[in-house]
Amino acid sequence: MFSKKMLWGSLTALVLLTGTSGVTLAEMPAHSSQTSQFQRIEQPLGLKVGVAIGGLALIGLELWWFLLYKSSES
C-alpha cells in the first residue's frame, strides 16, 4: 500500500511546507501599545526543542504503528 520511499517523501514535504509558515503569523509586535489580558511567558530553548522532538517522536510512533507494523499472526 505505502512504500517507505513515498512515506518519507511525504513527511519531508510536510515538514518543508509547514516548517516556518505559522511562526511569523503568531508573533506580536514588540512596540504594541495595546494592553492585553494575556502575558507572554518566555520558555527556555531546551524546553521548546524537547517538546518539538517529543511531538515528532510520537508522530513517528503512530505512523510506524498504523502503517509499517507487521503482526506476527499473519
Side-chain angles (χ1 to χ4, degrees), residues 14-27:
L14 182 66
V15 168
L16 291 175
L17 288 174
T18 61
T20 58
S21 62
V23 175
T24 56
L25 296 176
E27 291 180 4

Side-chain angles (χ1 to χ4, degrees), residues 4-64:
K4 287 185 181 181
K5 187 175 182 179
M6 186 176 88
L7 180 65
W8 285 113
S10 298
L11 286 175
T12 303
L14 182 66
V15 168
L16 291 175
L17 288 174
T18 61
T20 58
S21 62
V23 175
T24 56
L25 296 176
E27 291 180 4
M28 294 288 291
H31 60 278
S32 176
S33 62
Q34 185 179 25
T35 58
S36 175
Q37 64 182 6
F38 300 108
Q39 291 182 334
R40 185 181 183 104
I41 300 174
E42 291 296 328
Q43 300 292 332
L45 181 61
L47 181 63
K48 292 178 185 180
V49 170
V51 169
I53 290 173
L56 290 173
L58 288 173
I59 290 170
L61 180 65
E62 285 183 32
L63 289 172
W64 172 80

Side-chain angles (χ1 to χ4, degrees), residues 58-71:
L58 288 173
I59 290 170
L61 180 65
E62 285 183 32
L63 289 172
W64 172 80
W65 182 264
F66 289 110
L67 298 177
L68 303 174
Y69 179 72
K70 306 285 189 228
S71 66

